[in-house]
Amino acid sequence: MTETTTPVPAPGTVLMYSTAWCGYCRRLRTQLDSEGIGYEVIDIEERPETAAFVEQVNGGNRTVPTVVYPSGAAATNPSLAEVKAALAN
């Protein structure tokens, strides 16, 4: 995980940078829904100014999903287990 300077989500929730066509993003959203974990989605194609943050935490790549936790840490394409573990801390 990488520390970030982006706004952080409320405790127990995540902020997910995504695109409409990303299958990994859809899968993670479905899993979060099934676990009752709240999230906010930011589509980096609808809000191109947010892509710079995604590139910053992913070595210049626009890799999604990029998830930000309440701690301010970010993870790229995390599993549901990784999200749950990060929210438990």
Side-chain angles (χ1 to χ4, degrees):
M1 285 192 256
T2 305
E3 290 303 313
T4 68
T5 58
T6 193
V8 294
T13 69
V14 298
L15 181 61
M16 183 190 318
Y17 291 86
S18 181
T19 62
W21 50 264
C22 172
Y24 294 110
C25 301
R26 281 193 302 275
R27 183 189 70 208
L28 184 56
R29 285 194 306 266
T30 299
Q31 292 171 335
L32 294 173
D33 287 340
S34 71
E35 292 291 320
I37 297 171
Y39 58 91
E40 176 185 351
V41 174
I42 296 176
D43 187 316
I44 66 170
E45 292 180 329
E46 289 179 5
R47 295 176 53 192
E49 71 279 5
T50 63
F53 169 75
V54 172
E55 292 171 352
Q56 174 192 343
V57 298
N58 291 301
N61 298 310
R62 291 187 179 188
T63 308
V64 290
T66 295
V67 174
V68 179
Y69 300 109
S71 67
T76 304
N77 197 17
S79 67
L80 178 61
E82 291 168 329
V83 172
K84 289 170 75 172
L87 292 177
N89 293 331

